[in-house]
């Protein structure tokens, strides 16, 4: 077989949904006005990588409806290679976001039987998978349906067979599957991943005996299962990276949080973008923390993802005014 040259830096796939965000704080039943947007862990990462100067492709199923059109046009407008398959038999999934109190965001999903949950292996172009520089998957997609789980398995096998590194973000969603089912899938999947992103809580699904108060020990334990790079996300306490036996740590940036949803996706995007650049661990970990900080500074799952120029803003200590 002739050698394949990379067609894009990052390839990912999964479900992206239409997002209705209430403009009013309080119970959703009293909401009258909503902002319409979109959100999905994998597409969030793809947008973040593109904003930071790399190329990315997102694939998935969307409904043959206005929300599906919104997803296709928005992602294309962000510079992604969009492989969105219109499903004539199922609608685009919905995500409703409210703020019950000023400090608590409530996210509800309406995705059972959605177009995105009907993803299947034949929806993915094998040449795209085999020509990527990295394949990024999450543990959300395999929880959607048996066909979606088979699609993840197929994609990972194609990538590994072609020597393409596999990136896995745990991204555990208890509304989709219980901890036992998630843990069983993850313990197998982690052994096939080259790059692993997890919070300390998510890490316990994979290695329950690891004390969460020692993130470096968590990273080492997860690395022992196969990944070459392990990123442990600790929120306001920063993050730890284990790469090739070396442990690095970076503090979180102090910003005013507006919306916490999407911070983990932004972190993964920042790290992957710098890894694709060939950056050293300290730099890519700092970029990941900066991207995560930017993500929480405004409403929306991905709208505040930074460009390279934006990253310098977090290091400024003046009056916060750009002129």
């Amino acid at each position: 077989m002739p050698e394949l040259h990379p067609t894009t830096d990052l390839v990912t796939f999964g479900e992206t949904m239409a997002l209705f965000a209430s403009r009013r704080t309080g119970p959703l039943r009293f909401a009258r006005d909503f902002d319409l947007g979109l959100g999905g862990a994998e597409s969030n990462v793809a947008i973040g990588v593109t904003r930071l100067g790399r190329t990315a492709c997102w694939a998935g199923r969307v409904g043959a409806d206005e929300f599906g059109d919104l997803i296709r046009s928005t992602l294309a407008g962000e510079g992604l290679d969009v492989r969105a398959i219109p499903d004539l038999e199922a609608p685009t999934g919905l995500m409703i976001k409210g703020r019950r109190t000023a400090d608590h965001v409530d996210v509800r999903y309406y995705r059972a039987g959605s177009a995105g949950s009907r993803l299947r292996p034949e929806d993915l172009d094998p040449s795209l998978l085999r020509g990527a520089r990295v394949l990024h998957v999450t543990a959300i997609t395999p929880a959607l349906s048996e066909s979606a789980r088979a699609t993840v398995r197929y994609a990972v096998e194609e990538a590994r067979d072609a020597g393409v590194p596999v990136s896995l973000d745990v991204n555990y969603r208890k509304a989709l599957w219980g901890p036992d089912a998630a843990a069983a899938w993850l313990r197998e999947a982690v052994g096939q991943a080259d790059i692993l992103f997890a919070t300390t809580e998510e890490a316990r699904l994979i290695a329950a005996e690891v004390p969460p108060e020692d993130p470096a020990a968590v990273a080492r334990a997860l690395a022992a299962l196969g990944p070459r790079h392990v990123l442990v996300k600790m929120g306001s306490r920063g993050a730890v990276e284990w790469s090739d036996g070396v442990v690095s740590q970076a503090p979180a940036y102090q910003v005013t949080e507006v919306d916490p949803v999407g911070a983990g996706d932004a972190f993964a995007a920042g790290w992957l973008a710098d890894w694709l650049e060939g950056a050293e661990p300290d730099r890519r970990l700092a970029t990941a923390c900066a991207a995560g900080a930017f993500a929480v500074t405004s409403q929306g799952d991905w709208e505040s993802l930074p460009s390279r120029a934006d990253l310098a803003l977090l290091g400024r200590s003046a009056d916060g005014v750009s002129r």
Side-chain angles (χ1 to χ4, degrees):
M1 177 180 293
E3 182 180 355
L4 291 174
H5 295 285
T7 56
T8 191
D9 288 325
L10 179 139
V11 169
T12 190
F13 60 92
E15 181 172 35
T16 295
M17 296 166 285
L19 167 60
F20 286 88
S22 173
R23 294 178 178 176
R24 176 174 180 169
T25 299
L28 273 172
R29 64 181 179 271
F30 298 121
R32 299 296 179 268
D33 297 310
F34 292 84
D35 290 319
L36 173 61
L38 58 89
E42 298 85 3
S43 56
N44 293 346
V45 171
I47 292 170
V49 165
T50 302
R51 292 257 182 105
L52 290 171
R54 309 309 304 182
T55 58
C57 173
W58 174 86
R61 280 182 172 255
V62 297
D65 50 35
E66 286 291 321
F67 298 141
D69 291 344
L70 170 69
I71 290 168
R72 279 195 297 270
S73 62
T74 302
L75 296 185
E78 286 293 325
L80 274 59
D81 176 1
V82 180
R83 308 291 180 95
I85 299 171
D87 193 318
L88 301 177
E89 300 178 3
T92 302
L94 298 180
M95 179 170 24
I96 312 297
K97 184 189 293 186
R99 190 175 286 276
R100 183 61 183 85
T101 69
D103 301 316
H104 179 75
V105 175
D106 179 23
V107 182
R108 300 176 183 270
Y109 302 96
Y110 298 87
R111 66 201 315 178
S114 67
S117 71
R118 289 157 54 88
L119 191 69
R120 54 196 186 204
E122 53 266 37
D123 292 337
L124 300 182
D125 180 353
S127 65
L128 181 69
L129 298 169
R130 300 173 72 88
R133 290 185 61 195
V134 63
L135 170 69
H136 180 71
V137 299
T138 76
I140 296 173
T141 304
L144 298 177
S145 67
E146 287 298 328
S147 67
R149 190 175 307 182
T151 305
V152 176
R153 185 183 309 115
Y154 163 75
V156 170
E157 289 174 354
E158 286 289 321
R160 288 178 60 83
D161 185 60
V164 174
V166 175
S167 166
L168 169 63
D169 192 338
V170 174
N171 236 325
Y172 174 59
R173 296 289 187 269
K174 64 181 179 181
L176 292 176
W177 52 358
D180 292 341
W185 185 86
L186 283 164
R187 286 168 188 155
E188 178 181 354
V190 165
Q192 298 178 306
D194 301 279
I195 303 164
L196 177 66
F197 298 91
T199 65
T200 52
E201 293 79 10
E202 290 170 341
R204 296 182 70 183
L205 287 172
I206 306 165
E209 70 281 0
V210 176
E213 63 273 8
D214 185 351
V218 171
R220 283 192 294 269
L222 295 178
L225 300 177
R228 181 180 174 185
H229 307 284
V230 175
L231 289 304
V232 178
K233 300 173 289 185
M234 301 181 295
S236 61
R237 295 184 294 133
V240 165
E241 174 178 345
W242 189 100
S243 287
D244 300 323
V246 177
V247 176
S248 305
Q249 186 163 353
Y253 287 87
Q254 300 303 308
V255 296
T256 300
E257 181 180 294
V258 175
D259 184 349
V261 179
D265 302 331
F267 180 95
W271 192 92
L272 288 167
D274 268 19
W275 177 78
L276 287 163
E277 295 272 359
E280 294 299 315
D282 286 347
R283 179 187 141 186
R284 63 196 184 212
L285 196 56
T287 298
C289 288
F294 266 102
V296 306
T297 58
S298 73
Q299 297 287 350
D301 290 18
W302 55 269
E303 285 83 347
S304 285
L305 292 171
S307 66
R308 287 286 176 190
D310 290 331
L311 294 176
L313 297 175
L314 290 180
R316 297 180 180 177
S317 58
D319 61 1
V321 179
S322 296
R323 300 183 190 276

